[in-house]
């Protein structure tokens, strides 16, 4: 910790009321040594399979792959090309990473009061030990510092994994992935625990990009030729078993809506055959996705993999950007999301079975108090995931605690996950969560809603234990 | 009050800021002696009609009938059978109330930070004078204490009614109820004021369980044979008059949505006849409910009964639980609810008439600032009820004050009601409301938005006067 | 400032926590001298075109034209006739302005804790120097005071404009307006900057009252006979050019929903011809409005006028009041509003073009964090307007800062506008915004999320600079 850092107080993010701040600080510091449990995220396992892997330049690390960062600059008129974001058609983009860094620094004020601003500040201070604030004047000097650090052996990914005190890191991997990098990590003798997560979106959603190719790949990796719905299901079961053998404890599912509904066996077969033949008029992607969510719950009952559902993002809203730059360019926009009726078929069939754990996420905060907390406060198989994406922020967490906990109760929630592809931001993100948790609990203590022994137990749960239990990582 | 109690400070629930806490305490203590006005709830009048009625065992009192309590345990994998919740098919369930109590105590940490936790703690401390915290170790000792208390004459329901300082308690009763227990109470010479509320859901909603039987019962109790829509309406009017003669000042209506729309006389007749004949294909329950809400408003204009509308709960979401255990088992889940367009027909016909008071409730907090406050801030006949069900909680109340009051103004709201069947929780629930109210007002005083004389007047209104005026109980 | 006034502390609206209050006070006072920028509102330009214009009586100034005020009294059973609100049919209403004032004062407690209460208190204290609180007893004395003030030359509108330190005031004017009052102001030699805003709702929405007459007026003022869609578009372009020549920098658009969708040229022509002929069966007002929003964006690209969109108000909900009293009588009620899909066509066509600035408003606060902040945090052409109408309030602003800023970032918002027709409330409204802004920033400083140099820069932006830049007024 760096108590002299600008905007980087030991007390940061705590309520200024002395009664709350002091309790929050105590709770936070008691939990400070607890290793990080990261049960859901998008870090590339390649960083750890090759013992000599590096993060590239400061721009490679902080800007070019991070849609949280470049979407904010784009919103203020900065062209993505000037930030080095690659074009799909190969049109050259800015290659001078110092220029990219300078643009970023020139616009760093855009991140005032944002979670990206908090994470970036934490990374610069804590991971790279940069004492000066980032701005136009300091840009190149800070670039030099980071570049020098990144060349040091202590800044190799495996070393940082250890320094970050990560107990377990879960990646997210397509159903068709061979998990070769996970294999290499396991065989390397290095004892960092990195496990895959089974994500079948590319094969269960007909409208996924390259769905047909993905099916061929599924046949190939599963060694089960997918020629009909039955072989499709067998191939998925094979992949789940393989992921489980590689340490996976969970699956992950994205969908535009959380609709669930079972097709009859004949409907499932006909719909799947239509899609296989490319006859989109009868393939009905939405209904098939709704059906497959139920199938996935059924498989989870049987193989014990925890099921995660991340609905409600309208992907690639900006078609101009999608055509030029592809997926994940900061143009995914939430939509209103309904859970009570949507999940009815799945919950009526499987929701009372304690073998199933279904962790729900939302991008529609109105569902917290109205639908998700009441559902999680009733069904044994349901847990609520932490605030997601835009809401993985101080205010987002405060609203989550405020709107979820009274009805769901703490023990129907699943702790924190960082959901990030930015490996070096993991400590920052967990730090924000731990501080927000400590601050919430301290507010309850200060108002005599809970006492300190409750608060200590709840802090331990929020820091790591809820996540470990929910994701069956203990 | 018990200032030494763990988690039971005199200052509980107040903001820790000294300026707010001190004003909140002053406002709270000035209102502390005001009798409780309970204008809406579900306490069984039998408790008071028989002077020797008791509450049964501690498990009968705190666990077995309380879906707020057992749904939280069920969500964590505790079988309802093990909590003594009776099965519809008569399959035996746990009969040992000490075992049930032990399970409850073993899981009491699940209620940390929840409103149920706050109410239960209040009841144990204040009503039963239990000084120790409830947990696995203290469970049987506390059971003994409560059991002993319940055997004392001061713990008979009528004595507690007096000790709780309840000025008036409104029950909720089916339209077909003979109100015999209310009769007995009135004739008993005891002067506790307990009045019925007219709730016709079972006869106006075709999809109510046992609707056809309820119609027969309606014929029987009204002595008007219900053979068509006209006789149905006459029978309802007869029942309303009877309820009014028994002291009722209000009606209460549940519906999946707040849709209102008038059928033509012919449509009403045809739809009702279809239902009477059991021809569900043409009976259109939703449209008939929407129509009957308008009829009920018309009758309220005429007979002066205040109309309450509680929409937006998707009842019995968990069919497995419904089949095994029946209604009200913690599986009612809110849905998105629209008021602006839904209430348009009713408000255009009756909303300007000051003879009507329509009190609206919601399980969709998004409607507070968007629809309900603007509607209540305009129509003379509308008032907003307090935060309901999942939102009858400290944070729920804070959001209500925050999102409703600026637009609706305090005087278009209807004070508090506890809406509970758990009689012994009534003081706890009103105490939470009074503390939350005092804290809200103190925050306004501390920010110089109102002064102390405003705050004192508003506190008096929130404590009892708004409810008395809105429900015409004064 | 009047530090002795009841409820009128120098520290009003600031958090009582000393750390926050002190920083908020510093930030507020540093910004206190900044002139008011009022980029959107409904003040009548006639007040300034005639150097001898007056505000009429105290009732004319505070009550009769202000639907924020009389709707609250109406909701509590006060007849609009008794408040002097004119009837459409000419039925006489109360003419005695002292009686109207007395009713208002008798009910002034209804405004406790409301934004109207805060504005009215500010106006009485600061603009009219009334030291006593308004109530039944002081009503006539305060009437006397205000009446005397209004007779003084310093209370002429132009003098108050100067005293209020207004840098620029934008009015809102129909597309068919000749802007004669703006002409007179410009030619008068007085150097107050008052500019028009182009509002074409009356000619682009077929369902606008008197649409057909408005089209005739459009032909007349544009000198382009509107006989088909093409001439309609030319006439609109002519009007925009005229408004721009008169100093306008923006347009403003109301619609029930923010739906956008382009018609083919043939569809546009056919639909418009249907409407011209009064054939409403084929005129499809909703689709034409959606199409015209896209046309307006296209014109904004070309002529540089900033586009504002104010959707989501269900106008004239109370038909009884509408028939008797007409538009804008406090009976406009918000509805659920969807932006992500609704704006897709417009944003895909024009959202990446930095020549367009589209400022979005909402009456559905759920869209802040779910849709509007993510959209504004991505599209270069989008900015979010400040909290609007019911949400132009202390709590409304706090929710806006809380729910918008982390995702959108401050720099994708458009500062404040008062949106008022009540000229004398402008300083009060900007004061509330400035205090709410200072308080929000102070909270970030106290939690070490930003430092004081960030806060000072952000305060300057919130006070005036964001509005000036977004509306191209600098």
């Amino acid at each position: 910790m760096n108590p002299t850092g600008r905007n980087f107080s030991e007390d940061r993010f705590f309520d200024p009321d002395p009664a709350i701040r002091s309790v929050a600080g105590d709770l936070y510091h008691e939990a400070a040594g607890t290793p990080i449990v990261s049960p859901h995220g998008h870090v590339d396992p390649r960083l750890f399979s090759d013992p000599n892997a590096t993060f590239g330049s400061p721009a490679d690390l902080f800007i070019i792959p991070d849609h949280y960062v470049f979407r904010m600059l784009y919103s203020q008129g900065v062209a993505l090309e000037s930030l080095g974001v690659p074009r799909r058609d190969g049109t050259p983009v800015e290659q001078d990473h110092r220029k990219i860094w300078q643009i970023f620094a020139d616009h760093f004020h855009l991140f005032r009061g944002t979670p990206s601003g908090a994470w970036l500040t934490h990374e610069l201070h804590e991971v790279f030990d940069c004492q000066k604030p980032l701005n136009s004047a300091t840009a190149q000097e800070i670039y030099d510092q980071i570049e020098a650090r990144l060349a040091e052996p202590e800044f190799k990914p495996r070393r940082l994994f250890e320094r970050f005190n990560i107990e377990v890191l879960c990646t997210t991997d397509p159903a068709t992935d061979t998990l070769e990098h996970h294999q290499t990590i396991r065989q390397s003798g290095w004892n960092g625990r990195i496990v895959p997560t089974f994500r079948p979106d590319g094969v269960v959603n007909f409208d996924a990009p390259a769905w047909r190719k993905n099916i061929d790949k599924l046949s190939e990796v599963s060694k089960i030729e997918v020629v009909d719905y039955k072989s499709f299901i067998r191939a998925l079961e094979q992949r789940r078993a393989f992921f489980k053998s590689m340490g996976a404890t969970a699956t992950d599912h994205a969908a535009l809506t959380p609709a669930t509904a079972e097709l009859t066996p004949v409907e499932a077969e006909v719909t799947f055959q239509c899609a296989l033949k490319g006859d989109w008029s009868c393939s009905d992607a939405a209904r098939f996705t709704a059906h497959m969510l139920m199938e996935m719950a059924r498989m989870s009952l049987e193989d014990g993999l925890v099921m995660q559902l991340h609905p409600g993002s309208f992907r690639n809203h900006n078609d101009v950007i999608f055509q030029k730059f592809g997926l994940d360019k900061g143009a995914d926009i939430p939509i209103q999301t309904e859970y009570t009726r949507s999940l009815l078929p799945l919950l009526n069939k499987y929701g009372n079975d304690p073998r199933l754990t279904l962790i729900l996420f939302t991008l529609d905060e109105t569902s917290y108090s109205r639908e998700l907390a009441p559902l999680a406060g009733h069904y044994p198989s349901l847990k609520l995931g932490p605030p997601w994406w835009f809401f993985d922020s101080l205010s987002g967490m405060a609203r989550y605690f405020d709107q979820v906990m009274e009805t769901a109760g703490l023990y129907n929630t699943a702790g924190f996950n960082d959901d990030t592809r930015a490996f070096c931001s993991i400590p920052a993100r967990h730090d924000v969560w731990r501080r927000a948790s400590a601050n919430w609990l301290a507010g309850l203590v200060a108002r005599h809603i809970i006492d300190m022994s409750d608060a200590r137990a709840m802090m331990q749960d929020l820091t790591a234990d809820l996540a470990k239990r929910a994701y069956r990582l203990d």
Side-chain angles (χ1 to χ4, degrees), chain A residues 168-364:
Chain A
V168 55
L169 176 73
C170 301
T171 62
T172 301
D173 312 271
T176 50
D177 198 295
T178 59
L179 304 181
E180 55 182 314
H181 300 291
H182 288 85
Q183 302 261 26
T184 309
I185 295 167
R186 287 159 76 97
Q187 291 158 359
S188 73
W190 179 59
N191 65 2
R193 186 175 175 199
I194 295 178
V195 300
T197 300
F198 179 77
R199 174 120 169 198
D201 297 349
V203 290
V204 303
N205 300 332
F206 298 156
D207 46 6
W211 176 76
R212 195 62 191 76
K213 275 193 192 166
N214 293 338
I215 292 294
D216 291 341
K217 186 142 190 228
L218 178 62
S219 297
E220 184 191 323
V221 295
S222 68
K223 303 197 168 54
I224 294 169
E225 202 183 352
V226 176
V227 294
D228 54 14
Y229 178 72
K230 284 198 190 73
S231 50
F232 174 62
I233 292 295
R234 280 206 312 280
L236 287 171
E237 289 171 337
Q238 190 279 342
R239 296 317 291 156
R240 291 175 66 109
F242 173 66
F243 271 66
K244 202 174 160 181
S245 76
M246 292 294 297
T249 68
T251 71
D252 184 29
H253 308 268
L256 184 61
T257 79
T260 61
E262 207 159 28
L263 299 174
T264 65
V266 170
E267 284 174 323
E269 190 62 62
V270 168
T271 305
F272 188 77
Q273 295 281 0
C274 283
L276 266 190
K277 287 176 201 143
D279 183 353
W280 301 112
S281 66
C282 60
S283 64
D284 206 337
R287 286 186 70 212
F288 193 73
T289 296
H291 170 76
M292 286 307 298
L293 288 176
M294 299 209 47
E295 270 301 279
M296 289 292 153
R298 193 262 305 159
M299 293 184 198
S300 277
L301 276 189
E302 295 175 4
D303 63 19
L305 292 179
V306 170
M307 181 174 177
Q308 299 173 86
L309 180 56
H310 285 91
S313 178
F314 188 112
R315 304 274 171 177
N316 311 309
H317 191 272
N318 189 334
D319 195 55
V320 173
I321 291 295
F322 179 65
Q323 294 303 333
K324 279 194 200 163
F325 298 97
L327 299 166
D328 295 329
K329 292 299 171 289
D332 300 335
I333 310 293
I335 55 170
Q336 290 180 32
T337 305
E338 202 282 337
Y339 293 84
T340 302
R341 286 163 159 141
S342 299
L343 292 173
L344 188 68
L346 189 152
L347 291 174
N348 267 283
K349 188 149 185 183
Y350 304 119
N352 294 288
D353 193 323
R355 290 176 298 165
L356 175 66
T357 297
L358 171 56
I359 303 178
L360 295 175
F361 295 81
T362 194
L363 293 176
D364 181 348

Side-chain angles (χ1 to χ4, degrees), chain A residues 386-402:
Chain A
W388 174 36
W389 201 334
F390 302 106
F391 311 125
D392 180 5
S393 65
L394 280 171
S395 296
M397 290 171 190
R399 291 194 297 270
Y400 175 84
F401 292 132
D402 183 71

Side-chain angles (χ1 to χ4, degrees), chain A residues 38 40-45 47 169-173 199 252 310 328 388 418-423 426:
Chain A
S38 177
H40 174 67
H42 298 273
V43 171
D44 188 340
L47 282 174
L169 176 73
C170 301
T171 62
T172 301
D173 312 271
R199 174 120 169 198
D252 184 29
H310 285 91
D328 295 329
W388 174 36
D418 52 71
D419 198 8
T420 191
R421 61 197 75 215
F423 178 66
I426 288 179

